[in-house]
Amino acid sequence: MATKEDRPTRVSIDVRDLSKRYGSTVAVEQLTFRVEPGRVTGFLGPNGAGKSTTMRMMIGLDRPTGGEVLIGGRPYSQIREPLREVGALLDPSAVHPGRRARDQLLVLARSNRIPDRRVDVMLDRVGLAGAARRRLGEFSLGMRQRLGLAAALLGEPRVLILDEPLNGLDPEGIQGVRGLLRELAEGGRVVLVSSHLMNEMAVTADHLVVIGRGRLLADVSMTDFGARYGRGRVRLRTTRPERLGRALIAEGLTPAPAKGGAWEVADAQPDRIGVVAARERVPLQELALRSDSLEEAFLRLTAVSTDFTAEFTTDSGRKGAPE
Ligand SMILES: Nc1ncnc2c1ncn2[C@@H]1O[C@H](COP(=O)(O)OP(=O)(O)OP(=O)(O)O)[C@@H](O)[C@H]1O
Ligand SMILES: [Mg+2]
């Protein structure tokens, strides 16, 4: 077993000039980034961007065409007790259908010298204590996700690599996983979580690594992402729209009427509008950055690099976004 002394105190995942080609398909192209401990890093990109491929290469399930990934300074293959160093959730359906949930975890625990009691602690932690003796073939997608998460956390690893862990979870499950990720990050662990949904990451991650077509598009804190790429759209309601409208136009902003008697201001920040409203002594009933402005920023950032280019069409054949 690795002693405390050979474990570097500050572990990170270092992706260096990583590339992967499948025949003529370029899945990952010269990716370089570092995943730091102590925060939740969202690994974001549209379908086919190369997230799963990158994560598979992190834990040696795929061989890079070029470059390397180091975890705590070493390639995954050189980690002696991987389950105790790196927990991964990649494909939750890759389980034996006839095996019972608890047995699945016991096999993992025993082959990695992890005490049996961790199995029950983790089953309870992910809300599967009641299903411990059910066969995996009967598990729903969400239950398989929960079990995969329990498996990843079994050895109390300092590094977590989770591919779309929120997929298939109900709202309670999503909240539970979010709380868990936060707790793990605050405990100084490296937490990398992929998703193709910006809004999901906005409430889950502290830091974002965005890729498109296998290339790095952004490596920024969640806060900076909004400031740098978000053209904020602010929604407001006031009892005196004419007065506030005039003041905002004088500030060079463009307020426009929106649904429900509200107003929207493009390319704006709530702080600035709040200051203008206070100066004009206009009561505000609502003032918020529209939640979809981050989603829009993500779409703009990845627009030129979306691999899955088929656009959705409506019944009448018009192009449109799916509801
Ligand atoms: N085993 C494989 N053989 C051939 N091509 C592959 C293989 N695995 C992935 N690819 C290709 O590599 C690219 C990246 O795929 P990947 O699964 O890494 O994307 P992703 O970002 O995880 O997407 P999603 O959000 O849909 O999960 C895609 O073009 C995909 O078709
Ligand atoms: Mg994927």
Side-chain angles (χ1 to χ4, degrees), residues 12-19 28-34 54 58 64 66-74:
S12 63
I13 305 174
D14 278 287
V15 175
R16 295 181 179 171
D17 205 24
L18 192 68
S19 297
V28 173
E29 177 85 327
Q30 294 180 316
L31 264 189
T32 298
F33 62 91
R34 171 179 290 172
T54 303
M58 286 177 174
E68 61 180 356
V69 181
L70 300 180
I71 299 181
R74 291 166 296 175

Coordinates of all heavy atoms in Angstrom, one line a residue, residues 12-19 28-34 54 58 64 66-74:
S12 N -3.2 16.4 -8.9 CA -3.9 17.0 -10.0 C -4.0 16.1 -11.2 O -3.2 15.1 -11.2 CB -3.3 18.4 -10.4 OG -2.0 18.2 -10.9
I13 N -4.8 16.4 -12.1 CA -4.8 15.6 -13.4 C -4.2 16.5 -14.4 O -4.7 17.6 -14.6 CB -6.2 15.2 -13.8 CG1 -7.0 14.4 -12.8 CG2 -6.2 14.4 -15.1 CD1 -8.5 14.2 -13.1
D14 N -3.1 16.1 -15.0 CA -2.4 16.9 -16.0 C -2.6 16.3 -17.4 O -2.1 15.2 -17.7 CB -0.9 16.9 -15.8 CG -0.7 18.0 -14.7 OD1 -0.7 19.2 -15.1 OD2 -0.4 17.6 -13.6
V15 N -3.4 17.0 -18.2 CA -3.6 16.5 -19.6 C -2.6 17.3 -20.5 O -2.6 18.5 -20.5 CB -5.1 16.8 -20.1 CG1 -5.3 16.4 -21.5 CG2 -6.0 16.0 -19.2
R16 N -1.7 16.6 -21.2 CA -0.7 17.2 -21.9 C -0.7 16.9 -23.4 O -0.4 15.7 -23.7 CB 0.7 16.9 -21.4 CG 0.9 17.3 -19.9 CD 2.2 16.9 -19.5 NE 2.5 17.4 -18.1 CZ 3.5 17.0 -17.4 NH1 4.4 16.2 -17.9 NH2 3.7 17.4 -16.2
D17 N -1.0 17.8 -24.2 CA -1.0 17.7 -25.6 C -1.6 16.4 -26.1 O -1.1 15.7 -27.0 CB 0.5 17.7 -26.0 CG 0.7 18.2 -27.5 OD1 -0.2 18.9 -28.0 OD2 1.7 17.8 -28.1
L18 N -2.7 16.1 -25.5 CA -3.4 14.8 -25.7 C -4.2 14.8 -27.0 O -4.9 15.7 -27.4 CB -4.4 14.5 -24.6 CG -5.0 13.1 -24.4 CD1 -3.9 12.2 -24.0 CD2 -6.1 13.1 -23.4
S19 N -4.0 13.7 -27.8 CA -4.7 13.5 -29.1 C -5.2 12.1 -29.2 O -4.6 11.2 -28.7 CB -3.8 13.8 -30.3 OG -3.4 15.2 -30.3
V28 N -9.9 13.7 -30.2 CA -9.3 14.6 -29.3 C -8.1 15.2 -30.0 O -7.3 14.4 -30.6 CB -8.9 13.9 -28.0 CG1 -8.1 14.8 -27.1 CG2 -10.1 13.4 -27.3
E29 N -7.9 16.5 -29.9 CA -6.8 17.2 -30.7 C -6.0 18.1 -29.8 O -6.5 19.1 -29.4 CB -7.5 18.0 -31.8 CG -6.6 18.8 -32.7 CD -6.0 18.0 -33.9 OE1 -5.8 16.7 -33.7 OE2 -5.8 18.5 -34.9
Q30 N -4.8 17.7 -29.5 CA -3.8 18.5 -28.8 C -4.4 19.2 -27.6 O -4.3 20.4 -27.4 CB -3.2 19.5 -29.7 CG -2.3 18.7 -30.7 CD -1.7 19.6 -31.7 OE1 -2.3 20.6 -32.2 NE2 -0.4 19.4 -32.0
L31 N -5.1 18.4 -26.7 CA -5.7 19.0 -25.5 C -4.7 19.2 -24.4 O -3.9 18.2 -24.1 CB -6.8 18.1 -25.0 CG -8.2 18.3 -25.3 CD1 -9.1 17.3 -24.5 CD2 -8.6 19.7 -25.1
T32 N -4.6 20.3 -23.8 CA -3.8 20.6 -22.6 C -4.6 21.3 -21.6 O -5.1 22.4 -21.9 CB -2.5 21.4 -23.0 OG1 -1.8 20.6 -24.0 CG2 -1.6 21.7 -21.8
F33 N -4.7 20.7 -20.4 CA -5.3 21.4 -19.3 C -5.0 20.7 -18.0 O -4.5 19.5 -18.1 CB -6.8 21.6 -19.5 CG -7.6 20.3 -19.5 CD1 -8.1 19.8 -18.4 CD2 -7.9 19.7 -20.7 CE1 -8.9 18.6 -18.4 CE2 -8.6 18.5 -20.8 CZ -9.1 18.0 -19.6
R34 N -5.2 21.3 -16.9 CA -4.9 20.7 -15.6 C -6.2 20.8 -14.7 O -6.8 21.8 -14.7 CB -3.8 21.4 -14.9 CG -3.6 21.0 -13.4 CD -2.4 21.6 -12.8 NE -1.2 21.2 -13.3 CZ 0.0 21.7 -13.0 NH1 0.1 22.7 -12.2 NH2 1.1 21.2 -13.6
T54 N -11.5 11.5 -23.8 CA -10.5 12.1 -22.9 C -10.5 11.4 -21.6 O -9.4 11.0 -21.1 CB -10.8 13.6 -22.7 OG1 -10.8 14.2 -24.0 CG2 -9.7 14.2 -21.9
M58 N -7.7 9.1 -19.6 CA -7.2 9.4 -18.3 C -7.0 8.1 -17.5 O -6.1 8.0 -16.7 CB -8.2 10.3 -17.5 CG -8.2 11.7 -18.0 SD -9.4 12.7 -17.2 CE -9.0 14.3 -17.9
P64 N -3.7 7.0 -26.1 CA -3.6 8.3 -26.8 C -2.9 8.0 -28.1 O -2.0 7.2 -28.2 CB -2.8 9.2 -25.9 CG -2.8 8.5 -24.6 CD -3.0 7.1 -24.8
G66 N -1.4 10.7 -29.3 CA -0.3 11.5 -28.9 C -0.5 12.1 -27.6 O -1.6 12.2 -27.1
G67 N 0.6 12.6 -26.9 CA 0.4 13.2 -25.6 C 0.2 12.2 -24.5 O 0.3 11.0 -24.7
E68 N -0.1 12.8 -23.3 CA -0.2 11.9 -22.1 C -1.1 12.6 -21.1 O -1.4 13.8 -21.1 CB 1.1 11.6 -21.5 CG 1.8 12.9 -21.1 CD 3.2 12.6 -20.5 OE1 3.6 11.4 -20.3 OE2 3.9 13.6 -20.1
V69 N -1.5 11.7 -20.1 CA -2.3 12.2 -19.0 C -1.5 11.7 -17.7 O -1.2 10.5 -17.6 CB -3.7 11.7 -18.9 CG1 -4.4 12.2 -17.7 CG2 -4.5 12.0 -20.2
L70 N -1.2 12.6 -16.8 CA -0.6 12.2 -15.6 C -1.5 12.5 -14.4 O -2.2 13.6 -14.4 CB 0.7 13.0 -15.4 CG 1.8 12.8 -16.5 CD1 3.0 13.6 -16.1 CD2 2.1 11.3 -16.6
I71 N -1.6 11.6 -13.5 CA -2.5 11.8 -12.3 C -1.5 11.8 -11.1 O -0.9 10.8 -10.9 CB -3.6 10.7 -12.2 CG1 -4.5 10.8 -13.4 CG2 -4.4 10.9 -10.9 CD1 -5.6 9.8 -13.5
G72 N -1.4 12.9 -10.4 CA -0.5 13.0 -9.3 C 0.9 12.7 -9.8 O 1.7 12.1 -9.1
G73 N 1.2 13.1 -11.1 CA 2.5 13.0 -11.6 C 2.9 11.7 -12.3 O 3.9 11.6 -12.9
R74 N 1.9 10.7 -12.3 CA 2.2 9.4 -12.9 C 1.1 9.1 -13.9 O -0.1 9.5 -13.7 CB 2.2 8.3 -11.8 CG 3.4 8.4 -10.8 CD 3.1 7.5 -9.7 NE 1.9 8.0 -8.9 CZ 1.4 7.3 -7.9 NH1 1.8 6.2 -7.5 NH2 0.3 7.9 -7.2

